[in-house]
Amino acid sequence: MELRERIAGERRRLRKVREALSAAVAQTSQGDEGYIPFYIGIADYFEAAMERLHTQDVRMGDLLREKADMDDAENQRVLAELDRRLAGNQEHLKEFLAGGKALRDQRGKALEQYEAAAKAYTDYIVTNMGHHAGSTDLARATFSDEDWNYMANISEADMAREEDLFERVFAAMPASLELTPSD
């Protein structure tokens, strides 16, 4: 149970960072370079967190294909949907991280590029990612504790790094940014 709680905590922190980014790009920096450290912190956070979470989700799909009844049309549909969402996430993440790199390299000149990529990415996440009953329910019905541990692929170092990057994001949050309750 502790492992699942740790994963849930990581996903809650990811949601909080995504919500802060959504609020920031909705309000926009309006050219305020004080947003740059915050935005770079978010890019660093997403790069690390999404690498691990993507690996978890790919492992989940692989394990489901191995263990679930893949002659079942519904299972095939669920896994095709998972693949589609993961591929779209990777495409949007790539653009978002390119915006983060541009922000590092070009500073204020890249704020609009970053914010546009961040808005597209956060919109995709809200619409397509997070809990999806099909794959999650299938995993719950199919996986053993050993499968969940393999899928999680989580170490103490990974957890510490993710938590450190999370703290950095909120330490760099601009005072003018108004956060709203969870959407």
Side-chain angles (χ1 to χ4, degrees):
M1 194 59 159
E2 181 182 319
L3 177 64
R4 289 186 194 180
E5 290 172 8
R6 293 174 73 184
I7 292 169
E10 181 179 32
R11 295 203 178 214
R12 276 190 302 275
R13 288 186 295 275
L14 176 63
R15 181 182 172 106
K16 189 171 181 180
V17 171
R18 196 271 310 149
E19 288 171 344
L21 180 59
S22 293
V25 298
Q27 295 171 39
T28 77
S29 64
Q30 299 177 17
D32 179 356
E33 291 193 16
Y35 276 67
I36 293 173
F38 176 66
Y39 281 161
I40 289 173
I42 290 176
D44 291 345
Y45 180 86
F46 267 93
E47 184 172 29
M50 292 311 295
E51 178 182 336
R52 281 195 2 76
L53 295 177
H54 182 72
T55 298
Q56 287 176 1
D57 289 341
V58 168
R59 284 177 174 211
M60 180 173 70
D62 290 348
L63 278 171
L64 286 171
R65 283 181 181 83
E66 178 184 317
K67 295 179 176 266
D69 177 6
M70 291 312 297
D71 291 331
D72 183 311
E74 178 61 14
N75 291 350
Q76 292 173 16
R77 186 197 65 73
V78 163
L79 289 170
E81 173 65 16
L82 175 66
D83 291 342
R84 183 196 65 74
R85 288 185 295 109
L86 293 178
N89 184 67
Q90 289 303 107
E91 289 174 31
H92 283 84
L93 177 62
K94 181 180 175 183
E95 291 300 315
F96 171 69
L97 295 177
K101 182 179 180 335
L103 195 58
R104 274 186 189 84
D105 296 344
Q106 301 169 21
R107 309 298 294 167
K109 293 177 186 173
L111 275 167
E112 284 185 33
Q113 175 188 347
Y114 177 91
E115 289 175 335
K119 178 159 182 12
Y121 188 41
T122 58
D123 288 350
Y124 184 84
I125 290 170
V126 168
T127 304
N128 295 283
M129 302 306 286
H131 177 82
H132 280 78
S135 55
T136 303
D137 291 347
L138 185 57
R140 279 192 192 117
T142 307
F143 289 173
S144 67
D145 286 342
E146 188 175 289
D147 293 331
W148 285 106
N149 288 336
Y150 167 77
M151 188 192 79
N153 188 36
I154 196 165
S155 71
E156 292 296 326
D158 290 334
M159 288 300 296
R161 181 169 184 242
E162 184 268 338
E163 289 174 12
D164 178 60
L165 290 169
F166 175 83
E167 294 299 325
R168 288 185 197 183
V169 165
F170 290 97
M173 191 173 81
S176 63
L177 178 58
E178 295 179 27
L179 298 182
T180 57
S182 297
D183 46 16

